[in-house]
Amino acid sequence: DADVTQTPRNRITKTGKRIMLECSQTKGHDRMYWYRQDPGLGLRLIYYSFDVKDINKGEISDGYSVSRQAQAKFSLSLESAIPNQTALYFCATSDLPGTAYNEQFFGPGTRLTVL
Amino acid sequence: GDSVTQMEGPVTLSEEAFLTINCTYTATGYPSLFWYVQYPGEGLQLLLKATKADDKGSNKGFEATYRKETTSFHLEKGSVQVSDSAVYFCALATGNQFYFGTGTSLTVIP
């Protein structure tokens, strides 16, 4: 089974609708992240969380909100979706830094289309 | 601020050709450096990493050396295969953040 899962994998919705993307992980990591990927722009950080009580805005948080329901679950919401939020969304996790920074582990992505 | 700049693509190579994808970084402190690969329809997977200056990361025939003097972490492979066709991302971790390059698309033709 995959260590980081995302649901749904694909979603088509209409402008103004509320959408929730969900992420679950079995790696036991405290740190979780949401990114969006757009062609030519790479990955941009939306929100990140270092534990259940810690939520931080990333580079492009406007129009998004998150909820960390448990160590293993981190949800991303679009309160009122707009077409320029059409993108590929990735959840990622990482362990606490030790003597060096550890890598992130990514889910398979959710392709969201807002019409 | 901290950032990663990588070679723009797309890159098209014939099978068995030599590959270099350039990556340079700007960072304070002592970052860790990574190369990730994204195959079509999938998420990013770690390809290799290096955590301190002069470290060489390697995996599946790919290599990259952490060069602090030139702030670079170029990805190389001596002989690419069709199965290496993917998008490659350079990334760094420093402080509590990860920073990704914009990705380089590689297509290998038989």
Side-chain angles (χ1 to χ4, degrees):
Chain A
D1 288 340
D3 294 320
V4 184
T5 57
Q6 294 183 233
T7 55
R9 294 294 312 277
N10 288 284
R11 181 72 184 268
I12 300 173
T13 191
K14 294 182 179 180
T15 297
K17 294 291 188 181
R18 184 177 188 275
I19 296 296
M20 179 179 286
L21 309 182
E22 299 186 342
C23 176
S24 295
Q25 53 113 348
T26 59
K27 299 196 72 68
H29 291 164
D30 286 323
R31 299 185 169 198
M32 298 186 74
Y33 310 78
W34 275 105
Y35 292 91
R36 66 177 278 176
Q37 183 181 21
D38 299 277
L41 297 178
L43 273 71
R44 292 183 291 169
L45 182 63
I46 306 172
Y47 271 95
Y48 61 102
S49 169
F50 285 169
D51 65 40
V52 174
K53 296 181 180 180
D54 177 75
I55 303 289
N56 303 281
K57 293 182 177 181
E59 178 187 354
I60 54 162
S61 60
D62 287 349
Y64 301 95
S65 63
V66 291
S67 173
R68 185 82 184 266
Q69 300 94 324
Q71 187 207 36
K73 295 185 182 294
F74 192 36
S75 300
L76 175 72
S77 293
L78 288 68
E79 296 302 325
S80 179
I82 57 177
N84 77 0
Q85 292 178 312
T86 294
L88 189 53
Y89 290 84
F90 287 105
C91 175
T93 74
S94 70
D95 205 349
L96 293 172
T99 55
Y101 297 102
N102 296 306
E103 65 268 27
Q104 290 182 320
F105 295 85
F106 285 81
T110 294
R111 184 166 295 281
L112 177 66
T113 302
V114 183
L115 301 176
Chain B
D2 300 328
S3 66
V4 172
T5 302
Q6 69 179 95
M7 175 176 136
E8 290 191 14
V11 175
T12 302
L13 295 173
S14 297
E15 205 164 25
E16 300 184 3
F18 184 85
L19 169 71
T20 300
I21 301 178
N22 291 334
C23 173
T24 57
Y25 67 91
T26 301
T28 56
Y30 302 95
S32 294
L33 300 174
F34 310 90
W35 276 102
Y36 284 84
V37 59
Q38 183 181 29
Y39 298 105
E42 299 183 11
L44 279 70
Q45 305 173 23
L46 180 69
L47 180 60
L48 53 84
K49 69 178 182 181
T51 59
K52 61 183 187 295
D54 300 325
D55 267 1
K56 177 184 283 188
S58 61
N59 186 26
K60 300 181 181 180
F62 291 89
E63 294 183 338
T65 301
Y66 189 147
R67 302 283 189 200
K68 190 172 183 181
E69 63 276 14
T70 54
T71 62
S72 64
F73 192 55
H74 304 321
L75 182 68
E76 296 183 336
K77 187 174 186 182
S79 176
V80 294
Q81 305 301 311
V82 172
S83 58
D84 294 326
S85 298
V87 180
Y88 293 82
F89 291 90
C90 184
L92 74 85
T94 184
N96 289 318
Q97 295 289 333
F98 286 78
Y99 300 89
F100 288 83
T102 54
T104 301
S105 175
L106 170 67
T107 300
V108 181
I109 55 177

